[in-house]
Amino acid sequence: MSPGFELAHLSIRILATLGLVWSIGSALYAASLGGRSAPADRTARRTGVVALVAALVGLSLLAAVTLLAIGGDWAGAVDPYTVQLYLETNGISLGMRLAGLALLGVWLAQGSRVAAVGAAVILSASFAFSGHVVSHDPRPVLQLAIGLHVIAASFWLGSLAPLAAAARQDTPDIAAQLMDAFARRAATGLIVLVLAGGALAGLLSAQWPWLWLGTDWGRGLLVKLSLVGILIGFAALHRFLLTDRLRGGRAGAGAVLSGSILAEAIVGIAVIAATASFAARYSPGGV
Amino acid sequence: MIRVFVAILSGVALAVTLTLSAAAHTTLTSSVPADGAEVAPPEELMLEFGADVKLARVQIVPIGGKPIRLKLDRSAPASTKMVVPVGEALAPGAYVVEWRAVADDGHIMTGEFGFSVR
């Protein structure tokens, strides 16, 4: 595969992953924190629509370029054997993703929280049926870990745009209460994120962390962890400084918090891009 | 809005660039004929990988000639060692074998090796 094709393949994979993560996150925000702030609720729905479109476009393009990569050319891409190979390795997760996105559409159209939760669970679980977790042992543990990891990360990242909207557009009291409610859930989410991520990294690489520097997969993981460290720094800044300033009624505090949350979201996008990139290109064992 | 968009693109580009380097997933570990070997016309090719794969496509390309697409056993299970019948007698000359394979986890690999028929 040419470098240009590989870059296109990778870019499409990142688009699809971002769409899926923000689909899950928007739905989880609505299910767990919805109803507290009208601007935040509107933003969650808008983000959900954009994420749904990005996921559908990304998954469609990803299927096309993956078939092309397997088949070698357009004639090979539509060969039934190529389609069989594609479905053997991606069919379950693709089916779950389409079902999850359909449920997401139900949430967006009707505001059903049950549909939002269902979409988030199915879309998160879809990550457990393709990629490295299906080719390493212990498979059930890895599948559970990646599902939990995705759901916790998506809740965190998907809540950022609604939180930024509340900080900028809602009253300081409501925005601060929303930040507090998010922080309580995010604290639990962070524990799940770290435990599940640690289990994934340890079981997939079967190495101690200081040996990760010796493999491309490990170095990619360390880049991701560095970016996650920046995310945690942003979260601490918002939790322990900027939310208090907002609550205290300091002039411009809402705009500052909103801008800082959007900066956190951009780092979050970089984390997802880094994850999609190193997981797609490298093997945990470094082989 | 434009500044936000540029910032997002920069974040993505930075993250991708930081994780890009040379090596990748499992690949071909050996073959018969071996890369660079000079052999009698082979009746079959053997490709060995570092992990279980399914071959998606294998073709032999004579230097300056038309590719010969080899027939794969489409029902063969994933394996580290794959044998592919050549199907016709190769004339003396240099050839390149181009292969594509899919690993259990969905990763797609491509590669090539060359040999000569005496």
Side-chain angles (χ1 to χ4, degrees):
Chain A
M1 284 178 277
S2 70
F5 182 84
E6 280 199 43
L7 187 61
H9 200 169
L10 185 58
S11 304
I12 291 166
R13 182 182 296 279
I14 290 171
L15 173 68
T17 308
L18 288 172
L20 290 169
V21 165
W22 257 266
S23 293
I24 298 165
S26 304
L28 286 176
Y29 172 85
S32 64
L33 293 168
R36 288 173 165 81
S37 161
D41 290 351
R42 280 197 301 273
T43 301
R45 290 174 63 82
R46 282 189 200 131
T47 309
V49 171
V50 172
L52 173 64
V53 172
L56 285 173
V57 170
L59 289 175
S60 304
L61 291 175
L62 189 58
V65 293
T66 304
L67 286 167
L68 193 53
I70 296 173
D73 53 32
W74 289 111
V78 295
D79 185 319
Y81 180 58
T82 302
V83 177
Q84 175 196 323
L85 288 176
Y86 173 73
L87 291 177
E88 279 176 2
T89 50
N90 295 281
I92 295 175
S93 64
L94 181 62
M96 293 176 75
R97 285 166 182 179
L98 294 177
L101 292 174
L103 269 179
L104 191 80
V106 172
W107 163 57
L108 291 169
Q110 300 177 357
S112 161
R113 287 194 179 194
V114 173
V117 172
V121 169
I122 292 172
L123 290 173
S124 300
S126 73
F127 285 83
F129 292 92
S130 63
H132 296 132
V133 294
V134 301
S135 58
H136 287 73
D137 289 321
R139 187 170 159 174
V141 176
L142 290 168
Q143 288 179 304
L144 178 64
I146 198 160
L148 293 173
H149 192 67
V150 168
I151 214 162
S154 301
F155 171 68
W156 182 352
L157 298 177
S159 296
L160 295 177
L163 291 175
R168 185 176 289 273
Q169 298 169 29
D170 220 327
T171 64
D173 277 352
I174 289 177
Q177 285 170 17
L178 183 59
M179 290 295 295
D180 290 340
F182 168 74
R184 283 193 296 275
R185 288 160 178 77
T188 307
L190 185 60
I191 293 169
V192 172
L193 192 70
V194 170
L195 290 178
L200 280 170
L203 291 171
L204 284 174
S205 69
Q207 283 181 336
W208 296 105
W210 54 86
L211 296 176
W212 289 343
L213 276 173
T215 67
D216 291 308
W217 186 88
R219 285 190 287 271
L221 179 61
L222 291 173
V223 169
K224 174 191 173 178
L225 291 178
S226 305
L227 293 169
V228 171
I230 297 172
L231 270 186
I232 292 173
F234 269 113
L237 175 71
H238 302 155
R239 177 81 178 95
F240 298 113
L241 184 65
L242 298 186
T243 302
D244 282 345
R245 287 185 180 174
L246 183 71
R247 191 180 290 110
R250 184 179 291 201
V256 170
L257 177 58
S258 176
S260 187
I261 291 172
L262 287 178
E264 181 184 0
I266 289 166
V267 178
I269 289 171
V271 170
I272 300 301
T275 307
S277 175
F278 86 81
R281 291 176 58 85
Y282 308 131
S283 170
V287 291
Chain B
M1 192 63 195
I2 291 173
R3 274 187 297 177
V4 171
F5 184 67
V6 170
I8 289 172
L9 278 185
S10 304
V12 170
L14 173 69
V16 172
T17 305
L18 286 173
T19 56
L20 292 184
S21 62
H25 287 86
T26 187
T27 189
L28 191 71
T29 55
S30 67
S31 65
V32 178
D35 188 24
E38 188 177 316
V39 296
E43 292 183 1
E44 59 186 27
L45 304 179
M46 192 281 289
L47 292 85
E48 190 164 15
F49 295 85
D52 285 351
V53 301
K54 281 192 171 186
L55 286 173
R57 180 166 167 161
V58 180
Q59 61 183 16
I60 299 178
V61 187
I63 300 298
K66 195 176 171 187
I68 304 161
R69 182 116 174 234
L70 303 190
K71 195 170 180 183
L72 302 174
D73 178 1
R74 297 185 168 199
S75 60
S79 171
T80 56
K81 196 178 282 188
M82 311 295 282
V83 176
V84 187
V86 172
E88 62 183 84
L90 299 179
Y95 295 86
V96 173
V97 177
E98 297 175 348
W99 58 266
R100 286 174 181 271
V102 182
D104 278 354
D105 57 11
H107 289 293
I108 302 157
M109 294 146 284
T110 62
E112 61 182 39
F113 59 92
F115 67 91
S116 300
V117 173
R118 56 176 172 260

